[in-house]
Amino acid sequence: MQHLTLLTLSLTLIATICFAKSPYQSVLQHSRIRGRQHGPNVCAMQKIQGTDKKYFTNCKQWYHRKICGKPTVISYECCPGYEKLPGEKGCPAALPLVNIYNTLGVVGAATTKMYSERAQLREEIEGPGSFTFFAPSNQAWAALPNEILDALVSNVNIELLNALHYHMVNRRLTSEDLKHGSAFPSMYQDFNLHIHHYPNGIVTVNCARLVKTDQHATNGIVHVVDRVITAVTNDVHTFIDTDDDLETLRNAVAAAGLTQMLESDGHYTVFAPTNEAFEKIPPEMLNRILGDPVALKDLLNYHILKNMQCAESITSGTPLETLQGTVLEVGCDGADMTLNGKAIIQKKDQLGTNGVVHYINELLIPDSAKTLLELAQGSAVTTATKLFVDAGLGSHLSGSEALTILTPQNEGVTMTGDLKKLLKNHILKEQLSSGSLYYGQELETLGGIKLRVFVYRNSLCIENSCIVAHDKIGRFGSMFTVDKVLTPPMGTIMDVLKADNRFSLLVGAIQTAGLTELMNQAGPHTVFAPTNDAFSALPKADLNKLMSNPKELASVLKYHMAKEILVSGGVGSHTRLKPLQGDKLELNMRNQTVYINKVPVVEADLMATNGVVHAVGAIIKPLRKSNRFTVHEDRINHLTLLYITYSTSYDYLYCSFISVLNVHT
């Protein structure tokens, strides 16, 4: 019975969500479902602790119990348009349908009702007509600065009446009519009211959030909003053009040729850096960017979102695309709006006719406006960056050459004489993206050698170094973070083996088996090279017998060789490799060590021009074949009955319902 109830609830949730007409309706319906155990027409609300801010709840918020990073408490209230009756459960009664004036008094907008009477608006909103009133809540009036409120109230026949008329539209608009990006002429000189209906179900008018919607009246409809709104007459460029705190930004916009765009129709969000924000940047870096039209345009476009984002629309961190092409994470921390996790927004929601401006006190510099040195200094590889500078390569990294730098992770990297020479081979002679690399590609370095590219299922490697982070693409160069210092190839496999005293017995064995020419050929080869200790570990009689039989010796050695190049970074949890002779080798990686048929590699990635050598401490033998057992279906104890994930294209609702049942058959 419990399982049937769960299934019924899940199907009900899906049906109601799927048939919802808008994001707001989806959230409202979810709140209804969460509240229905408390009676009919009860909605679950989430209130941010320590504030008066309440939200209808969606699935994600319901389970996380957080909004803007702050804990919430659940309360159960009457859904819009309903009220309680004494002695009855829930909210069974529809609110009496009265005129707008009287509706204001019962939906938390009594102050708006009082000011409507004072401004002689009562007769209009009591009389015939079909109006929409975006009514400021009582808290919204209380939050208005005293000087503004005094100016309105002291001239009730003009300013207050005009202000209230600006909150009205001369037609009935339900929440379904409030489409994202729409605008409706107000009853004050036909100045537009700007509507935004966000994927998370939040609806705003001139960036004021609708906190109670669809309160129907005989002569229209009331939507309660969380702030007093003001008329919008200027475009976003006007804010920049007329505010002395944005003088540096104004000059930069003009130099980048973006003035016309910010004056045109659109729905932009501009994070406007103040003069103080520009002053925080080192002068040399700032002057370079301001003097480079390409870098400057990228910098400014990185501060502009393609869509209009009011502060009240944000309830959690959301990646949003900029005009520059990358994303900013726009989020919130309590009452603070954040960018990339930082509370740097000083002034919010300066609304224009074509977008909204938020003032920020820190300049956002995209990678595409940075030099290679600036890219590296602002990343997790600062130690390695210092090594490049100490090696005398700083001028290459701070100049305008088209280069790609391979930057090793910080761990264990220290400057030595050999490393100083080697670092020149960590700089490639062209600007690349990892997405353009392919297997077998050769890349020329500043040191004059060529490096090979190896592509594996889960790895992309250049010689023995594998890329471990997303590319950073700068103004002139790119940065690949790699897992280790790169080792360029030094001679053929035979050259590598002969140069290392640990392999003297192996070199003799290769020569005895007649494989010397093979190890000098172009390849590609991977050799799992037994050390002298590995040979010495064999019983002396077995070793002598093996060494005296070239044919058998060749068979054993070929089981240690493969005709492809596999560096350690290409080894996954279950990697197989076909040797030149015998069954496939089974490789895996455990605790940063590669194992071949359970034999550990004692040193990996000795790079050669025709392949790679991995030193092993034992002779590799074929694995014994084990009997595999079968799991019969009638013995399965855990059956996933239901796993439903619903996510709209707007990603405004995410629901997962999982029930794991114990089934014994």
Side-chain angles (χ1 to χ4, degrees):
M1 186 66 185
Q2 181 184 3
H3 301 151
L4 183 60
T5 302
L6 174 63
L7 181 61
T8 304
L9 174 61
S10 301
L11 294 176
T12 303
L13 279 164
I14 296 166
T16 54
I17 289 168
C18 289
F19 288 106
K21 295 179 182 179
S22 69
Y24 166 76
Q25 288 295 329
S26 294
V27 174
L28 176 62
Q29 288 179 1
H30 180 264
S31 291
R32 277 180 174 274
I33 291 167
R34 294 298 179 188
R36 69 180 184 176
Q37 60 181 323
H38 295 271
N41 304 312
V42 174
C43 283
M45 303 289 291
Q46 285 190 265
K47 179 182 177 182
I48 300 177
Q49 292 184 17
T51 74
D52 293 323
K53 298 184 76 168
K54 294 180 182 178
Y55 297 80
F56 292 116
T57 179
N58 60 34
C59 286
K60 197 171 184 179
Q61 292 167 350
W62 177 263
Y63 288 111
H64 289 182
R65 291 292 200 274
K66 283 188 176 182
I67 293 176
C68 286
K70 302 302 180 184
T72 61
V73 292
I74 304 296
S75 63
Y76 296 93
E77 303 179 5
C78 291
C79 296
Y82 295 90
E83 65 178 352
K84 293 180 176 293
L85 289 179
E88 294 196 31
K89 187 177 181 180
C91 305
L95 284 172
L97 203 62
V98 294
N99 59 51
I100 285 178
Y101 177 76
N102 288 320
T103 300
L104 293 173
V106 295
V107 295
T111 306
T112 300
K113 180 180 180 182
M114 176 188 70
Y115 285 138
S116 295
E117 182 164 14
R118 213 182 268 189
Q120 299 180 9
L121 183 62
R122 174 175 179 174
E123 183 178 351
E124 186 174 0
I125 58 177
E126 276 186 333
S130 184
F131 308 111
T132 297
F133 203 144
F134 295 100
S137 65
N138 298 334
Q139 293 87 348
W141 286 105
L144 207 61
N146 289 332
E147 61 272 16
I148 295 177
L149 184 60
D150 290 344
L152 288 174
V153 175
S154 64
N155 198 346
V156 294
N157 291 325
I158 301 175
E159 297 300 334
L160 184 58
L161 179 61
N162 290 343
L164 292 172
H165 267 150
Y166 186 61
H167 289 73
M168 296 176 62
V169 175
N170 197 10
R171 55 176 284 199
R172 183 188 299 261
L173 298 170
T174 68
S175 61
E176 289 299 307
D177 298 315
L178 303 178
K179 307 296 184 185
H180 189 68
S182 58
F184 300 97
S186 73
M187 293 176 63
Y188 172 60
Q189 297 184 12
D190 285 338
F191 286 142
N192 278 338
L193 292 168
H194 300 271
I195 307 296
H196 289 87
H197 194 144
Y198 293 95
N200 60 3
I202 288 176
V203 183
T204 64
V205 52
N206 286 23
C207 286
R209 180 168 68 95
L210 275 62
V211 293
K212 289 184 181 179
T213 60
D214 296 330
Q215 307 292 332
H216 290 273
T218 56
N219 57 346
I221 195 166
V222 175
H223 304 291
V224 180
V225 296
D226 68 350
R227 72 181 71 167
V228 178
I229 59 180
T230 55
V232 177
T233 57
N234 297 319
D235 56 48
V236 294
H237 182 260
T238 301
F239 283 104
I240 298 171
D241 201 37
T242 57
D243 193 329
D244 289 341
D245 282 342
L246 303 178
E247 181 181 2
T248 307
L249 175 61
R250 177 166 64 249
N251 294 335
V253 166
L258 297 180
T259 300
Q260 186 174 357
M261 182 195 75
L262 294 178
E263 291 175 340
S264 64
D265 292 340
H267 296 91
Y268 303 111
T269 300
V270 179
F271 296 104
T274 60
N275 298 336
E276 176 194 358
F278 280 97
E279 289 167 2
K280 293 178 181 178
I281 304 301
E284 183 180 353
M285 182 181 187
L286 181 60
N287 290 333
R288 178 187 62 77
I289 293 174
L290 293 177
D292 180 348
V294 175
L296 179 58
K297 190 169 185 178
D298 270 3
L299 174 88
L300 295 176
N301 281 336
Y302 189 56
H303 290 74
I304 305 173
L305 301 181
K306 289 184 174 182
N307 298 300
M308 183 168 155
Q309 211 71 36
C310 296
E312 284 298 323
S313 70
I314 303 295
T315 57
S316 62
T318 306
L320 298 172
E321 189 174 0
T322 67
L323 292 185
Q324 182 257 350
T326 54
V327 298
L328 289 173
E329 184 179 275
V330 183
C332 50
D333 182 12
D336 293 326
M337 190 176 179
T338 62
L339 281 181
N340 293 341
K342 300 170 74 174
I344 60 174
I345 296 177
Q346 287 184 320
K347 192 189 297 186
K348 300 181 287 189
D349 292 341
Q350 304 303 299
L351 190 65
T353 55
N354 59 345
V356 64
V357 178
H358 306 291
Y359 288 46
I360 59 176
N361 62 11
E362 189 172 303
L363 195 63
L364 307 171
I365 304 179
D367 288 346
S368 59
K370 295 178 180 178
T371 64
L372 273 174
L373 188 60
E374 291 161 355
L375 278 180
Q377 288 172 338
S379 70
V381 288
T382 51
T383 301
T385 304
K386 187 176 183 300
L387 295 178
F388 281 99
V389 175
D390 292 345
L393 299 171
S395 60
H396 292 289
L397 305 187
S398 58
S400 58
E401 296 173 83
L403 301 171
T404 298
I405 182 174
L406 308 177
T407 314
Q409 289 178 315
N410 285 338
E411 292 83 356
V413 182
T414 55
M415 177 57 78
T416 64
D418 290 339
L419 180 60
K420 192 170 184 177
K421 297 176 184 176
L422 188 56
L423 286 175
K424 208 166 186 180
N425 289 320
H426 284 67
I427 302 177
L428 308 176
K429 281 187 172 182
E430 56 184 314
Q431 184 174 14
L432 299 165
S433 69
S434 61
S436 67
L437 301 181
Y438 56 88
Y439 192 94
Q441 185 177 5
E442 293 188 338
L443 310 172
E444 188 175 358
T445 72
L446 285 184
I449 68 170
K450 290 189 176 179
L451 306 176
R452 298 161 296 181
V453 175
F454 305 119
V455 180
Y456 304 104
R457 183 176 296 276
N458 296 310
S459 304
L460 177 59
C461 305
I462 299 173
E463 294 299 335
N464 63 311
S465 299
C466 299
I467 297 172
V468 293
H470 293 297
D471 306 356
K472 284 184 170 293
I473 308 297
R475 173 66 180 93
F476 304 106
S478 304
M479 186 179 81
F480 299 163
T481 301
V482 294
D483 59 353
K484 61 176 75 75
V485 174
L486 179 145
T487 304
M490 302 297 290
T492 66
I493 285 176
M494 279 305 291
D495 294 331
V496 170
L497 295 176
K498 286 179 178 179
D500 193 325
N501 291 332
R502 292 176 299 172
F503 303 121
S504 59
L505 292 179
L506 175 61
V507 169
I510 289 173
Q511 292 169 341
T512 300
L515 298 177
T516 303
E517 184 179 350
L518 176 65
M519 293 294 94
N520 281 320
Q521 288 175 355
H525 303 292
T526 295
V527 176
F528 299 104
T531 62
N532 294 343
D533 290 341
F535 282 104
S536 299
L538 292 174
K540 193 168 185 179
D542 291 347
L543 178 59
N544 291 336
K545 182 180 177 182
L546 179 63
M547 290 297 188
S548 63
N549 187 336
K551 187 175 180 180
E552 184 181 348
L553 180 59
S555 295
V556 171
L557 293 179
K558 284 182 178 180
Y559 191 60
H560 291 68
M561 303 172 181
K563 202 161 184 60
E564 61 180 277
I565 296 179
L566 178 63
V567 299
S568 61
V571 177
S573 56
H574 297 286
T575 301
R576 289 189 170 189
L577 195 63
K578 176 66 177 172
L580 294 183
Q581 189 166 320
D583 292 336
K584 286 187 175 180
L585 298 166
E586 297 205 6
L587 293 85
N588 59 70
M589 178 78 76
R590 297 200 309 270
N591 299 322
Q592 307 302 313
T593 299
V594 176
Y595 288 80
I596 311 100
N597 288 12
K598 300 183 180 180
V599 174
V601 169
V602 295
E603 184 176 354
D605 300 331
L606 304 173
M607 305 307 295
T609 54
N610 59 342
V612 61
V613 174
H614 304 290
V616 292
I619 302 298
I620 300 170
K621 298 176 182 178
L623 293 173
R624 290 182 179 180
K625 294 183 179 179
S626 60
N627 293 323
R628 299 183 181 276
F629 64 90
T630 304
V631 180
H632 297 284
E633 290 187 10
D634 61 353
R635 302 300 299 164
I636 297 175
N637 291 324
H638 296 283
L639 173 67
T640 300
L641 175 68
L642 181 63
Y643 183 90
I644 300 169
T645 300
Y646 179 84
S647 179
T648 69
S649 58
Y650 295 103
D651 193 29
Y652 65 84
L653 199 56
Y654 173 78
C655 292
S656 293
F657 303 94
I658 300 175
S659 175
V660 179
L661 307 180
N662 287 326
V663 178
H664 299 278
T665 57

